[in-house]
Amino acid sequence: MIDYNFYDTKYAAGYRSELSGFEIARKEAIQHFVHKVISIERPLRVLDYGAGRGLHVPLWTNMFPSSELFLCDVSSVALQNCVETYPDLTDRYKLIEDNRADFDDGVFDLIVSIEVNTCLLPQMNVLPRSYFQRSQKVICNQPFQVH
């Protein structure tokens, strides 16, 4: 069972409020990798799975400016932090409950997941198969299963 309060408490105390050190270098590496290596150019719908307070929103909107960005996370506090900063994402940020974020049309061209701690939240390492109806492109720095 996921202890959602654990992450709500951490986010309320300022957890992951800014990128630091290696995260900045990783952001630059992701930009290079996506454009030069896997050539993802124009996904229509992008899902940031485990988006937290939205630290990577500027990266995704810069890399995919014509895409519709969706986000999800297990923390309601992280969701609130994010939509306070990016109010235009309010209707596109969903809580993960029962191992699923309830998007009306949960079909995405690209799923990104950076720094999701799946060793602490093992249930989050399962992506619903319905998310992959259009594409099987995932960018992440941890293993995932498709269920």
Side-chain angles (χ1 to χ4, degrees):
M1 184 58 124
I2 296 176
D3 180 4
Y4 297 102
N5 292 325
F6 173 77
Y7 277 97
D8 283 346
T9 301
K10 287 179 70 92
Y11 278 108
Y15 175 66
R16 302 209 22 92
S17 58
E18 60 185 48
L19 293 176
S20 63
F22 75 93
E23 295 172 318
I24 294 168
R26 180 176 48 215
K27 179 185 88 166
E28 293 169 2
I30 290 169
Q31 285 177 298
H32 172 81
F33 178 77
V34 169
H35 287 302
K36 303 292 184 186
V37 178
I38 58 176
S39 300
I40 297 173
E41 293 183 22
R42 293 186 191 106
L44 297 176
R45 293 169 53 103
V46 175
L47 171 64
D48 186 343
Y49 185 81
R53 65 173 64 237
L55 282 179
H56 292 97
V57 167
L59 174 64
W60 309 136
T61 56
N62 181 49
M63 290 178 63
F64 310 114
S66 61
S67 300
E68 193 173 14
L69 179 63
F70 295 83
L71 304 97
C72 62
D73 200 274
V74 297
S75 171
S76 61
V77 174
L79 182 155
Q80 187 60 40
N81 293 154
C82 184
V83 300
E84 285 173 5
T85 305
Y86 306 104
D88 57 314
L89 295 175
T90 300
D91 294 335
R92 290 182 273 142
Y93 196 133
K94 304 291 183 184
L95 281 179
I96 297 172
E97 299 176 304
D98 297 323
N99 303 328
R100 182 171 182 80
D102 189 24
F103 293 102
D104 291 334
D105 174 14
V107 179
F108 303 98
D109 300 297
L110 174 64
I111 299 171
V112 293
S113 184
I114 307 300
E115 205 61 35
V116 173
N117 201 340
T118 58
C119 64
L120 293 177
L121 301 173
Q123 291 92 336
M124 278 190 67
N125 74 346
V126 177
L127 291 169
R129 186 169 302 282
S130 63
Y131 289 179
F132 294 97
Q133 290 178 355
R134 280 205 296 247
S135 176
Q136 294 188 356
K137 294 180 180 171
V138 178
I139 299 171
C140 63
N141 66 334
Q142 69 279 324
F144 278 95
Q145 301 172 34
V146 176
H147 183 276

